[in-house]
Amino acid sequence: MHDRTIQLQLGIGAIIAAAFLLLVAIPTWVSSPSNVPNIILSPLFWPWVLAGLTAITGLAMVLTSIREPRPAEPAISEIDDKPRAWGRLASIAAVMVVAMVLMPRIGMVWTAMLVFVATAYLVRTSHPKTALVSAVVIPLVLYAFFAHVAGVAIPQGDFVRLP
């Protein structure tokens, strides 16, 4: 399969996923109180933003794949080691399960740090130091914003509590 075909399929998939989120999932399953003083604090805001960005990304991928020239040679499968690919898929599923188990015990911030590091290791990042710094800084900055600026309670764990 050529890059052009893959990009077109991913773009169409992203547009379909965004349409599902915008038309079905968000209106059906995300509720918001009517007296939210700031739109950014509304539970609807960020799902709408992410769904919109997904739609824009999908549209850009479709347009880019249409503009890309057709390849002259036949498609060749680039995946040589399918068992390792399935192993990585199983590993990321295990990381997600471990995250759900750890979150009530150690809290959202610490779990996010561990999941970030595990995912960076799993995808074999070419920038491990940057990934490690980001794994610590991003969850702490988000916690500080939501807990202290926006006044939103972030789930804390049983063992370590952040101020």
Side-chain angles (χ1 to χ4, degrees):
M1 194 175 299
H2 294 290
D3 289 341
R4 179 178 193 234
T5 307
I6 293 170
Q7 190 163 349
L8 180 65
Q9 290 174 350
L10 287 173
I12 291 170
I15 292 170
I16 291 170
F20 173 75
L21 288 171
L22 291 169
L23 301 174
V24 178
I26 295 172
T28 304
W29 293 301
V30 179
S31 61
S32 176
S34 60
N35 62 349
V36 176
N38 190 346
I39 186 69
I40 294 176
L41 298 178
S42 170
L44 293 172
F45 180 73
W46 291 110
W48 279 94
V49 168
L50 292 175
L53 290 174
T54 301
I56 291 169
T57 302
L59 184 61
M61 290 178 77
V62 167
L63 292 175
T64 303
S65 69
I66 290 171
R67 292 183 61 213
E68 194 172 300
R70 292 188 181 271
E73 70 277 351
I76 299 172
S77 177
E78 295 179 15
I79 300 175
D80 294 334
D81 196 2
K82 288 187 181 184
R84 289 189 72 199
W86 283 107
R88 285 191 301 274
L89 183 63
S91 298
I92 196 67
V95 167
M96 291 179 199
V97 169
V98 169
M100 295 309 298
V101 170
L102 285 179
M103 198 165 307
R105 289 165 180 77
I106 65 173
M108 185 179 282
V109 176
W110 303 105
T111 302
M113 289 178 190
L114 294 173
V115 168
F116 198 116
V117 169
T119 304
Y121 173 75
L122 186 64
V123 299
R124 296 187 196 117
T125 180
S126 57
H127 305 285
K129 292 177 185 172
T130 305
L132 189 60
V133 170
S134 297
V136 173
V137 171
I138 291 172
L140 287 175
V141 168
L142 288 172
Y143 169 77
F145 171 76
F146 281 106
H148 299 293
V149 176
V152 176
I154 302 296
Q156 298 281 333
D158 295 331
F159 305 113
V160 179
R161 313 234 1 128
L162 294 170

